[in-house]
Amino acid sequence: MLGGLKKLLLLLFLVLPVIISITDGGHMKAWAHEDEVEGEEDELSDDDEVNVDDGTGGEVETADGGEEEEEEDEEEAAAKGSPDADTVILFTKPVGTGTELPAGKLVEFLVGFTNNGDKDFILDAIDASFRYPMDFNFYIQNFTAIPYNRAVKPRQEATVMYSFYPAEAFAARPLGLTVNLAYHDADGNSFLEAVFNQTVSIVELDEGMDGETFFLYVFLLAFSVLLLVAGHHFLSSFGRKKGSKKAVVEVGTSKRDDVDYDWLPKEVLNEIKKTPRQSPRTRKAKRVASSK
């Protein structure tokens, strides 16, 4: 019985590696087949033209990729503007090249248009927008478009104005500014020319004095006055204590020895010493008695 069990285990050890190798080979073939199918799909998707059997033995050609490329070329040509027109932009508020714009303040600029061709041009509208500086296809803020519908004759010029307010939240940040001028010619061909398409910096202007600064100065002034008053009061009280003396109380001539008689003549002094000292009442009584 043990011998039969050993033979069975030996058979399993011999057959199991063969089964594993066959299974792995099948998976590898399946993966290789899937890679080939995906590669063929990628090649078909990259081709601009695809031949499709219509069931009658012929082939139908489709060129979706070519049509998309033509549409993109037309859009790029329209965005570049007409070769018979010249445009220029001038920033009037603030005056400069437009690379630094104040946050929360009015921004104005003029766009000049020159018709160098032989056909009339119609200026339709002008608009502006803030874009992401790393990718101008990403819009951050759109401003209102101003319609003009102004005709410009051949060999003539026209000027349009536009203004907007950059948000204060964009202060100290670089942004892409795009100014587009939409116009068309007498044949109906439309153009959208980017008059200005650069990265600008939104700066915060230092105004003369705002509310917070004003109240800060008022507080500092009041605090300084309070310190001056307290210092003056302290110094005056300290000076009073230091200069105060004991008040002299005059006791009069209650004692005879306290009187200075040096300034009197000797005759008068001797007479005063001989006469005894009498009170005012005694002197008065003697005067009354002598009068009677």
Side-chain angles (χ1 to χ4, degrees):
M1 182 176 180
L2 292 175
L5 184 58
K6 290 180 180 180
K7 292 181 180 180
L8 181 59
L9 292 175
L10 181 60
L11 183 61
L12 288 175
F13 285 133
L14 293 175
V15 174
L16 186 60
V18 178
I19 296 174
I20 292 174
S21 62
I22 294 174
T23 306
D24 292 340
H27 284 296
M28 293 176 64
K29 291 180 180 179
W31 291 339
H33 180 68
E34 289 177 358
D35 292 338
E36 291 177 359
V37 173
E38 289 177 358
E40 292 177 357
E41 291 178 354
D42 294 338
E43 292 177 358
L44 292 176
S45 62
D46 294 337
D47 292 339
D48 292 337
E49 296 183 359
V50 180
N51 296 328
V52 181
D53 189 0
D54 60 354
T56 59
E59 292 181 353
V60 179
E61 295 183 356
T62 60
D64 294 338
E67 293 179 357
E68 292 178 357
E69 290 181 357
E70 291 179 358
E71 292 177 357
E72 291 178 357
D73 293 340
E74 291 177 358
E75 292 178 357
E76 291 179 357
K80 292 180 180 178
S82 174
D84 296 331
D86 292 333
T87 57
V88 63
I89 187 171
L90 175 64
F91 285 86
T92 58
K93 186 181 292 186
V95 179
T97 58
T99 56
E100 291 186 355
L101 303 179
K105 299 296 181 180
L106 180 65
V107 176
E108 291 182 351
F109 55 84
L110 301 175
V111 176
F113 182 87
T114 304
N115 185 358
N116 298 323
D118 298 330
K119 300 178 182 179
D120 293 349
F121 281 98
I122 309 298
L123 304 182
D124 297 325
I126 185 173
D127 66 271
S129 61
F130 279 142
R131 312 289 184 91
Y132 184 61
M134 305 303 295
D135 185 5
F136 274 63
N137 294 323
F138 182 75
Y139 289 79
I140 295 179
Q141 183 180 8
N142 273 327
F143 298 102
T144 304
I146 300 179
Y148 281 100
N149 297 322
R150 180 180 300 180
V152 183
K153 300 294 183 180
R155 311 301 175 183
Q156 290 187 1
E157 299 179 356
T159 303
V160 294
M161 187 191 72
Y162 191 88
S163 61
F164 64 95
Y165 284 89
E168 294 183 358
F170 296 148
R173 289 182 55 187
L175 295 173
L177 176 61
T178 301
V179 179
N180 293 321
L181 178 64
Y183 59 94
H184 64 276
D185 57 11
D187 297 334
N189 298 321
S190 298
F191 302 94
L192 183 64
E193 184 172 354
V195 182
F196 188 87
N197 193 29
Q198 296 181 15
T199 300
V200 299
S201 298
I202 308 300
V203 297
E204 186 175 1
L205 297 179
D206 294 333
E207 298 182 353
M209 182 178 296
D210 55 359
E212 294 181 358
T213 306
F214 174 76
F215 284 111
L216 179 61
Y217 284 128
V218 170
F219 174 77
L220 291 177
L221 180 61
F223 185 71
S224 301
V225 172
L226 182 61
L227 287 178
L228 290 175
V229 172
H232 180 268
H233 179 72
F234 175 76
L235 293 176
S236 60
S237 62
F238 181 76
R240 290 174 184 175
K241 292 180 180 180
K242 186 177 180 180
S244 62
K245 296 181 179 180
K246 186 176 181 180
V248 178
V249 180
E250 186 175 355
V251 297
T253 57
S254 58
K255 295 182 181 180
R256 192 178 183 90
D257 298 337
D258 295 339
V259 181
D260 186 11
Y261 296 104
D262 293 339
W263 60 278
L264 294 175
K266 292 182 178 181
E267 296 80 6
V268 177
L269 183 61
N270 293 330
E271 188 177 352
I272 291 174
K273 290 180 178 181
K274 292 179 180 180
T275 59
R277 184 178 180 183
Q278 297 178 355
S279 64
R281 291 181 181 180
T282 306
R283 288 196 298 270
K284 185 177 182 182
K286 287 182 179 181
R287 289 175 185 174
V288 173
S290 62
S291 64
K292 289 181 179 182

